[in-house]
Amino acid sequence: CDLHMLNKDGYQTCKDIRRWEKKNKYPYLPIIALSANVLGDVYAKCVAAGFNSYVTKPVDFRELSAVMTTFLDPADPSKPHEFMRPRRGQS
């Protein structure tokens, strides 16, 4: 999910998807944030929005592949996907 889109940014899109999943008792699908912005506040905003992971642009396709594999072929498929967590010193 690109963080900077025309009609609705990725943060709000992710929040809306999470709200819909919860309302409809649907399992949480993995959502990966994608942005050229690497500032510290972006990571914290991604955590707050409910993203599972974050990849920066320009895209390193090996990194993107590794992140996607984490969700598409998890070590334990019975466990729910992990969400991003605040970094040390962030809340």
Side-chain angles (χ1 to χ4, degrees):
C1 182
D2 198 320
L3 295 180
H4 302 288
M5 299 183 288
L6 295 177
N7 296 322
K8 185 186 295 189
D9 69 27
Y11 305 109
Q12 189 59 49
T13 300
C14 186
K15 288 177 186 177
D16 290 348
I17 292 168
R18 296 299 185 218
R19 194 174 304 116
W20 181 89
E21 290 168 333
K22 185 175 182 177
K23 176 183 174 187
N24 293 287
K25 298 180 177 142
Y26 199 80
Y28 291 119
L29 296 172
I31 304 175
I32 302 167
L34 181 65
S35 179
N37 191 339
V38 294
L39 299 176
D41 69 326
V42 171
Y43 187 93
K45 287 179 182 179
C46 287
V47 169
F51 282 98
N52 299 91
S53 190
Y54 176 80
V55 175
T56 59
K57 293 180 191 176
V59 176
D60 175 336
F61 288 98
R62 286 177 288 201
E63 177 189 6
L64 179 59
S65 177
V67 170
M68 290 178 70
T69 298
T70 301
F71 299 110
L72 296 174
D73 188 19
D76 185 350
S78 67
K79 290 185 178 179
H81 299 293
E82 288 189 23
F83 290 94
M84 292 175 67
R85 296 183 182 161
R87 292 180 175 159
R88 290 181 187 209
Q90 291 181 338
S91 52

